[in-house]
Amino acid sequence: MFTIKTLNKISPAGLKILDQDQYAVTGDAENEDGILVRSADMHAYEFPQNLLAIARAGAGTNNIPIARCSEAGIAVFNTPGANANAVKELVLCALLLSSRDILGGVEWVRTQAMTEGVDVAAVVEKGKSAFVGPEVYRKTLGVIGLGAIGALVCNIGLSLGMEVYGYDPFLSVDAALRLDRHIHVVKDVSELYRQADYITLHVPCNDATRGSINADAISRMKDGVRIINLARGELVCDGDMIAALESGKVSRYVTDFPNNTIALAKNVVAIPHLGASTPESEDNCAVMAAQELREYLENGNIKNSVNLPTLEQEWSGTARVCIIHRNIPAMLSSITSILSQDGVNVENLTNKSKKDYAYTVVDLNTSVGEDVLSEIRAVDGVLRVRLIRR
C-alpha cells in the first residue's frame, strides 16, 4: 500500500487513476511515499523518509525545491502539454486584447450606462474611436519557446493569417515535427525581435530565461510591439516593461502574472493567472501526474521528470532494483560487482543520465536481501536505492 499526500485540490479524474486497494490518498498523510501538488509552495517542506516522488499537476515546477529533491533521491514529475490547449486558447484571447482596447471599451460602456440621462446607443457611436486597434491578420507573430504550447500557438497564428516566427534554442525533434512547415524557425532571437508585431512567451523560468525580456531585448524589438506573457512573470523585468509602455515602445503588455507594480501600469492587461484554469486542463494535468506517480512507484519507470532522466524498461525478472546516483564514472561497475559477488544474476540493466544525476534500473532473476541493498547504498555517489518485487 502506497500513501499519497495531496497538497492542493486534485481533480477526481486523476485520483481515480490510483487504485484504492493499493493507494491511500489524503491531504493529511504522514511519511508519504508520493505527493500530488499543483501550486503549493514546497520550498520549506520537510521531506519524510519514505518520500520517493513528487508529481506536479502542471508544467512549471518553481514551487518545488528541485535541487534538494535531487540530493534526497526524490523524483520530480510535471505534466508538459496537458494544459497546452487551455493556454493556447488564452493566447488567442490575449492577441485580441493586446490589439484592441476591448476591456477599456467595455468599461466605458458600463460607465455611460450608469450615468443618468445618457443614451448609450447614441454615445457609443461617437466614443468608440478611442478604443480602436489593428487587426492581427497579415501581422507577424513571434513565438519564443516551441514546446507543446508554443507549437500550438504557432499553428493557430498561421490559421489567423499571420506570418509566424519561432525561436527555441533547445528545439527537439518531436517539437519540430509539430510545427507547420510555413513557420519561420530562427536561430537568433534578435531576428524574431526585428520581425514581430506581437511576441508571446512560452519558456520555463530558470537562470537562463529569468528577466530575459528587459530593456536590451525590448530595444531590439519593433516600435509599438505587443507582448504577451502567459508563461512566468519573472521572465519580464517589470521596471523595464513599464518604461517601454510609458514611452510607447511597447503598445500593450498582456500578463497572466499580475503584481502590485505591473497591474496598475499604463497599457497593461493583467489576467489573474487563468492560463490553465479550465476543467479540461485540470483533469488532463491530474490524470497525467497520477499516471507518472503510479508508474514510478509500481515499476520504477520515469517519464516527464524534471530532475531525472527518462527511463522505461519492460520487466524481465522477478525483482527490480532502482538506483538514483550521481553521474560519475565506474558507478555501473560498482553496482554489478556487488550483485555478482552476492551470486545475483542480472536479467536486464538500463542506465540513463541527466546532467549531474543518473538512474539505473536492474532486473534480477531472484529477489535480494537488505544486506545487498545496503552494500549498494554504501557506494560513493549513490543517493537512493529501492527494491520492487513483481
Side-chain angles (χ1 to χ4, degrees):
M1 175 72 75
F2 293 108
T3 300
I4 307 300
K5 188 170 187 175
T6 56
L7 297 185
N8 297 104
K9 183 180 179 181
I10 303 297
S11 166
L15 300 182
K16 288 179 182 178
I17 299 295
L18 304 175
D19 189 339
Q20 292 183 358
D21 292 334
Q22 293 180 271
Y23 293 88
V25 184
T26 175
D28 55 6
E30 295 182 359
N31 204 19
E32 62 271 16
D33 301 290
I35 290 175
L36 284 168
V37 62
R38 291 173 62 196
S39 59
D41 187 351
M42 296 189 64
H43 285 277
Y45 194 85
E46 186 174 344
F47 298 146
Q49 184 177 357
N50 281 1
L51 184 59
L52 297 170
I54 299 169
R56 202 273 177 176
T61 54
N62 294 35
N63 59 317
I64 301 171
I66 304 299
R68 188 156 64 91
C69 289
S70 299
E71 285 299 304
I74 298 169
V76 180
F77 298 92
N78 68 345
T79 56
N83 61 5
N85 188 71
V87 178
K88 175 205 74 176
E89 290 185 0
L90 193 61
V91 172
L92 176 58
C93 174
L95 275 171
L96 301 177
L97 291 177
S98 71
S99 266
R100 304 189 188 188
D101 189 8
I102 299 168
L103 295 180
V106 169
E107 186 59 33
W108 178 77
V109 168
R110 287 178 58 85
T111 300
Q112 300 306 307
M114 295 170 63
T115 303
E116 187 177 352
V118 171
D119 181 352
V120 172
V123 299
V124 294
E125 291 303 321
K126 296 179 180 179
K128 65 182 181 182
S129 61
F131 309 102
V132 300
E135 298 178 10
V136 299
Y137 180 60
R138 291 188 175 177
K139 302 302 189 303
T140 300
L141 174 65
V143 182
I144 300 177
L146 301 175
I149 297 171
L152 289 176
V153 171
C154 284
N155 293 337
I156 202 171
L158 289 179
S159 298
L160 292 171
M162 304 182 80
E163 191 84 3
V164 180
Y165 281 72
Y167 170 77
D168 191 330
F170 305 106
L171 182 63
S172 67
V173 173
D174 288 344
L177 291 174
R178 291 194 292 263
L179 296 173
D180 187 283
R181 63 185 180 87
H182 294 98
I183 292 163
H184 308 284
V185 178
V186 297
K187 295 182 179 180
D188 184 352
V189 71
S190 292
E191 176 64 14
L192 182 148
Y193 290 158
R194 284 193 295 270
Q195 299 291 340
D197 302 297
Y198 301 79
I199 294 175
T200 179
L201 310 177
H202 301 287
V203 294
C205 182
N206 52 41
D207 290 342
T209 61
R210 186 176 291 106
S212 55
I213 303 301
N214 51 31
D216 175 65
I218 294 171
S219 70
R220 289 179 276 151
M221 299 176 188
K222 280 186 174 182
D223 291 343
V225 65
R226 290 166 164 83
I227 299 175
I228 298 167
N229 179 14
L230 306 186
R232 280 292 176 267
E234 295 82 2
L235 297 173
V236 176
C237 291
D238 285 346
D240 293 350
M241 177 59 70
I242 291 170
L245 288 163
E246 290 288 346
S247 70
K249 176 69 177 182
V250 176
S251 292
R252 185 87 31 111
Y253 175 47
V254 182
T255 178
D256 205 21
F257 304 93
N259 56 48
N260 289 348
T261 301
I262 201 69
L264 297 176
K266 174 185 177 181
N267 290 330
V268 168
V269 177
I271 303 170
H273 201 182
L274 297 180
S277 295
T278 67
E280 295 88 351
S281 174
E282 291 181 8
D283 286 352
N284 292 342
C285 288
V287 167
M288 185 182 291
Q291 289 173 334
E292 292 164 349
L293 200 59
R294 182 184 65 185
E295 186 63 20
Y296 181 65
L297 294 177
E298 295 182 16
N299 298 304
N301 290 329
I302 293 178
K303 184 177 181 180
N304 295 327
S305 172
V306 299
N307 64 333
L308 294 174
T310 296
L311 194 162
E312 298 177 276
Q313 178 172 297
E314 293 290 332
W315 276 89
S316 56
T318 58
R320 171 170 286 185
V321 179
C322 303
I323 307 158
I324 299 172
H325 54 87
R326 301 191 192 285
N327 186 19
I328 55 178
M331 183 59 72
L332 290 184
S333 61
S334 297
I335 294 168
T336 55
S337 176
I338 290 170
L339 294 172
S340 177
Q341 289 171 10
D342 285 278
V344 179
N345 186 52
V346 174
E347 293 288 331
N348 195 11
L349 182 152
T350 304
N351 167 264
K352 298 286 185 179
S353 63
K354 186 172 186 176
K355 296 183 179 180
D356 295 333
Y357 299 93
Y359 184 54
T360 299
V361 171
V362 188
D363 281 349
L364 310 173
N365 64 354
T366 184
S367 189
V368 294
E370 183 59 33
D371 55 337
V372 175
L373 300 179
S374 295
E375 286 185 67
I376 298 175
R377 289 189 186 100
V379 174
D380 186 36
V382 169
L383 301 171
R384 193 72 173 255
V385 179
R386 68 184 177 113
L387 176 70
I388 303 175
R389 294 182 178 87
R390 197 167 188 183

